[in-house]
């Protein structure tokens, strides 16, 4: 029984699968906004409503385009991680580059939806992080004995970029469907970002140091039964 669910559970915790869960959610949310949440007084069939919504809403168009690009990038990531860690380096780099293009579209959608400054920072951080992850693996830095690569820190930057993205959609949030979907998508994507983090990056090192500091120190055992 356990073996039957081992494959699907492993798949559900794979970065490409999680990225595409968020992508599908974002794309479906855009369609729902176009078809069912459109102005009821506007006539036309479902297809007309979708086209009219996308043509009249720059945010919906940008977010839909971003999710389609991210969806393909998620497929590339899935192929890269098909055999587990470490991933196929060439395919993983392709996934990063596709994600860079999606990040540009996402930044524009967030710019239209909410706070321009936060949207810009989210897009810049995300795009820089993915580009650094793709091309910075061979460049190492030195910080007092800690030598992460640019790619290690770039992966951290991608996860950090989710914070302003969520804040951008949450600023002035009044329950609109697109903003809610952006927040939920970013949370799902953040889980995938976490799985891609390098153990030599700042975030995982900081989390490990925090766990070590909270772990109770074990007292040494006496070498002989009679020792105090």
């Amino acid at each position: 029984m356990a073996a039957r669910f081992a494959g699907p559970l492993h798949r559900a915790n794979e970065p490409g699968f999680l990225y595409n869960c968020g992508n599908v959610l974002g794309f479906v949310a855009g369609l729902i906004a176009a078809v069912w949440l459109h102005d009821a007084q506007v006539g036309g069939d479902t297809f007309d409503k979708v086209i009219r919504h996308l043509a009249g809403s720059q945010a919906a168009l940008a977010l839909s385009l971003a999710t389609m690009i991210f969806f393909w990038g998620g497929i590339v990531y899935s192929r890269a991680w098909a055999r587990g860690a470490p991933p196929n380096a060439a395919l993983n780099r392709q996934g990063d580059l596709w994600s860079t293009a999606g990040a540009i579209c996402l930044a524009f959608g967030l710019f239209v939806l909410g706070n321009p400054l936060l949207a810009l920072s989210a897009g810049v951080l995300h795009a820089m992080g993915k580009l650094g992850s793709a091309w910075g693996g061979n460049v190492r830095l030195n910080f007092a004995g800690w030598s992460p690569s640019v790619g290690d820190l770039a992966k951290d930057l991608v996860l950090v970029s989710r914070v302003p993205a969520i804040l951008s959609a949450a600023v002035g949030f009044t329950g609109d469907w697109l903003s809610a979907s952006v927040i939920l998508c970013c949370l799902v994507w953040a889980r995938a970002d976490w799985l891609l983090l390098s153990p030599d990056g700042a975030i995982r090192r900081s989390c490990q140091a925090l766990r070590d500091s909270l772990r109770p120190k074990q007292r040494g055992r006496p070498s002989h039964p009679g020792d105090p």
Side-chain angles (χ1 to χ4, degrees), residues 20 58 61 77 117 150 196 206 210 222:
N20 278 342
Q58 294 178 330
L61 178 59
Y77 277 126
L117 180 60
V150 172
L196 290 174
S206 299
L210 179 60

Side-chain angles (χ1 to χ4, degrees), residues 45-58:
D45 57 21
T46 299
F47 181 77
D48 289 338
K49 289 182 179 180
V50 171
I51 298 300
R52 189 157 44 232
H53 177 81
L54 292 178
S57 172
Q58 294 178 330

Side-chain angles (χ1 to χ4, degrees), residues 50-101:
V50 171
I51 298 300
R52 189 157 44 232
H53 177 81
L54 292 178
S57 172
Q58 294 178 330
L61 178 59
L63 293 175
S64 297
L65 182 59
T67 53
M68 286 188 286
I69 295 174
F70 283 138
F71 187 81
W72 178 250
I75 292 176
V76 176
Y77 277 126
S78 292
R79 293 172 57 196
W81 288 79
R83 297 186 178 182
N88 181 294
L91 287 175
N92 203 56
R93 185 178 297 112
Q94 288 181 31
D96 289 336
L97 293 175
W98 278 106
S99 295
T100 302

Side-chain angles (χ1 to χ4, degrees), residues 2 4 7 18 26 45 47 55 65 70 79 84 105 111-113 137 145 163 170 194 200 215-216 225:
R4 180 184 303 177
L18 287 170
D45 57 21
F47 181 77
L65 182 59
F70 283 138
R79 293 172 57 196
C105 295
F111 181 88
V112 176
L113 275 178
V163 177
W194 173 264
D200 294 327
R215 187 177 301 161

Side-chain angles (χ1 to χ4, degrees), residues 9 13 31 37 56 68-69 87 93 106 135 146 160 218 228:
L9 288 177
N13 206 36
L31 290 181
L37 302 182
M68 286 188 286
I69 295 174
R93 185 178 297 112
L106 179 64
W135 301 113
W146 173 40
V160 171
Q218 296 186 1

